[in-house]
Amino acid sequence: MSDYSIKARNNVKIIGSGEHVLMLAHGFGCDQNMWRALADKMGNDYTIILFDYVGCGQSDFAAFNANRYTTLDGYASDITDILSELNLSDVTLIGHSVSSMIGMLAAIKAPDRICKLVMVCPSPYYMNDLPGYAGGFERDDLEELIDMMDKNYIGWANYLAPLVMGGRADQSDVENLTSSFCSTDPRAAKTFARATFFSDYRDILANCPVPTLVLQSLADSLVPVNVGEFVAGRLPQATLRILDTQGHCVHMTDPELTGAEIRGFLG
Amino acid sequence: MCTLKLITVDALLSRVVRWPSYAAVDVIMDSSYKQSMIDNMPSGYFVTDVTQSIQFANRYALSHLGYENLLQRPLSEILTRASCILFESYVSPLLVREGVCNEIQLSLKTASGEKLPVVLNARREESDGEVHWTFIGATQRDKLFHELVQARNLLEEKNRLLEARTVTDDLTGLANRLSVTQYLTEHLKNARVRQTQIVVVFIDLDGFKAINDSHGHLVGDQVLKAVGQRLAGSLRTSDLVARYGGDEFVVLLEHGTGESKKNERMILRLLQKLRTPFQINGQMLSLSASAGATVYPQPGAVEPEQLIRQADQAMYKSKLAGKDQVSWFDPQWEATQRTYHELISQMRAGIKQDQFVLHYQPKINLLTGAVVGAEALIRWQHPERGMLMPMDFLPHIDSHHIEQELGDWVIDSALRQIGNWRARGLLLPVSVNVSAYYLMSEKFLDRLLALLHNYPGVPASQLELELLESSAIDDSRNISSIAGVCQRMGIKIALDDFGTGYSTLSHLRNLSVDVLKIDRSYVQDMLTNPSNVAIIRGIIGFAKAFNCLIIAEGIETDEQLNALVNLGCHYGQGYYIARPMPAESIESWIAAR
């Protein structure tokens, strides 16, 4: 479709300057704003591409298609669509959390466009698969998550409104209760949650075609250190760096440390 | 002074002092009182540091969570695993970015391992990264939510039932007309964005009426059901099959763009499926189907109903082209149609507003030069396009009712003119051109009689109907019977453009005509093309054999005139003799000869 721009669909923003291009992919629950601190630190030396996945942030929610985004492959297509529209190659893709796996899928799809990956707190599988693998969660935990999202997203009246209105209310009628920085379309958010937390990409790690930096937080309640080690162990060309910091969003809480690691990796 | 292990109450309250309700309190109260005040707060309150370790928890928090002490425990210990996900992926980024997070519902984990649903508010200190949390129980809220979910499920169920009844065709169980419109309304919005193409296929059964007539409606209904099943069975579940009404079905396919060949194959496969005979009550019944298809998106904006109409029109094309096939809608066609309808309405207005006139071309005896009659030729004085010749508009209204209205006007005008001339002593027969459609139109003879009746001073013999040879042979039997009646009324019948319409002798025998008009194409080339001379000679032979008058058209030179005379054709018309002229010029033209 020549009249429809992927840039507009994914709310693509290009900032900074530099020969090398970094593409920053946000994780579940957030949008490109989560990169602001890191982007500010890297923008002087790199060209930075920010975007929102369809259904997140300021993307075009009308483009959301539950089929496409049921698996992480659909999100990876958002990345390759953008790279292809901008006609970029040799890009370093920095993905936070689930975007680490999405980035890897994108690199497998378009190895000529993505030359390096940085995975910030990645997990290929969030569930426990004991004894060999401790993802950290049981299925019940993840079902509870979906239920909890419902409780947080749905305005009481709006929860019933679409049904009362005959099931055909515009998505815009269903308001996000906590719509601020991390605005996400509720329908898209649940689809994203399922794609993120219920799928298993452990076997794909070996197919990753590009050198990868794995950044793992020392204390991350979402992703245990053993998962970071597992990821680095399975990737063919990985560098694991365990950061002496807490939390899952190290690029927000420790942008300097994260930035330094990335610079070191890019050389 | 009561000192907490890590944070003093004073230090705590010096931070909370910025919360307006506490401002006055800070000045007058000592620390132990402040401690008990925080402990007595009817909500949980705790503080975490930058490492997400708990630095303080009030009594409410401890008692509701069942802990003696929470100091230095990681926050993740009192969050359920699901809450950890929301905390890490949503709350924590929000706090870093915006400093606050209001009314998030999470579940806390009690010391005994139970889940405590709570609504949390949090505020982050920019200076040191400490986070102050308050929470209240959400059990009541959870209960309400649970009831809401139940209400929603109930509503969903009722809606499903209701919807099933309004969007389903009772007979076939397929989607109905309403759901086609709904589907299109919903899908058109997104097709452009999703980069997909929607194909609307309109299918009308061929020969279904015959089955209904000969086997009855019950069998007919069973056939419709079976057709529905075959259609549905040949498509993907994402495609929609609907019974649109009667024996009409609509199929909606959604594909990636640029798969039009695939679409065509799919439709052909559907038609092939329907060609296989149906076994109903032990009888084998055969039918076929005609399909029309259109594609969305299109260059211009289109509404769902318009797409259906386009597919329906294309289906009609398949019917006309012999049925059992698929035709595609051509978006250009619609533009043509608009012009067509405009033309018809302009013509109707033109008749009312006297924009049409008849010009007359004299016919003469080639030997004597005497004027023997005139052919009336229609002109349209179009208010915007100027004077239009018959070729400019007649071909576009072929077989439309307007032909009848215009034909009546022509005969009426010609009769009036004959009467006017007769009143002034000029006895001039007039011929008018009529189409087979006009001749066969409903109550033509009644209308003709009525027209003649309006002009009692005009003998019917003064009127001649010129019929195109080609149209006369399409339905020669009916034409000849109507022409026969006209002749009995005294009206003359001429066969126009003779030699161009592949007449056979039997046609000529059936259709008794008074005049044969040699087509201008033979006359124009007759001096250079010997075979044309042979044809003219043949036509003259025919005319003599069938005892009719012969008139040559399109005489443009003296040589042509003489050659025709030599061949035995004694009457003619053409530019060499006179161009068509307004009625009022005829008398002066005759006088000037």
Side-chain angles (χ1 to χ4, degrees), chain A residues 1 3-4 6 28-30 33-34 36-37 60 62-65 136-137 141-142 144-145 147-152 156 159-160 162-164 166-168 170 177-178 180-182 197 220-222 246-249 252-253, chain B residues 50-52 76 80-90 92-94 96-98 102-107 115 141-142 144-145 148-149 151-153 155-156 159 163 182 186 189-196 257 297:
Chain A
M1 245 12 166
D3 57 344
Y4 185 72
I6 299 293
F28 162 76
C30 279
N33 284 307
M34 71 169 352
R36 197 169 293 169
D60 180 359
F64 183 78
N65 170 346
F137 295 88
D141 299 328
L142 300 177
E144 187 194 343
L145 167 73
D147 181 51
M148 204 176 277
M149 286 174 70
D150 257 347
K151 290 175 186 170
N152 278 297
W156 300 107
Y159 190 64
L160 293 182
L163 285 169
V164 176
R168 256 168 282 289
D170 269 357
L177 185 67
T178 46
S180 57
F181 148 58
C182 291
F197 296 108
D220 177 350
S221 68
L222 211 53
Q246 290 80 27
H248 186 61
C249 300
M252 295 185 81
T253 51
Chain B
V50 73
T51 68
Q52 290 162 13
S76 59
T80 62
R81 296 300 287 143
S83 300
C84 276
I85 296 179
L86 277 194
F87 171 76
E88 291 287 9
S89 52
Y90 180 76
S92 177
L94 196 62
V96 172
R97 180 91 220 142
E98 297 194 348
N102 291 323
E103 285 187 58
I104 178 101
Q105 181 166 352
L106 299 177
S107 287
K115 286 175 189 168
R141 186 178 145 126
D142 244 23
L144 281 174
F145 183 78
L148 187 72
V149 170
R152 188 184 163 109
N153 291 346
L155 255 178
E156 263 174 354
N159 269 2
E163 204 158 282
Q182 282 177 356
E186 280 167 24
K189 263 195 276 177
N190 294 330
R192 241 174 232 279
V193 177
R194 289 183 190 166
Q195 308 192 4
T196 56
T257 45

Side-chain angles (χ1 to χ4, degrees), chain B residues 555-571:
Chain B
I555 302 172
E556 290 180 359
T557 64
D558 190 31
E559 290 78 15
Q560 287 168 348
L561 189 151
N562 289 328
L564 284 163
V565 169
N566 289 336
L567 287 169
C569 171
H570 297 163
Y571 297 94

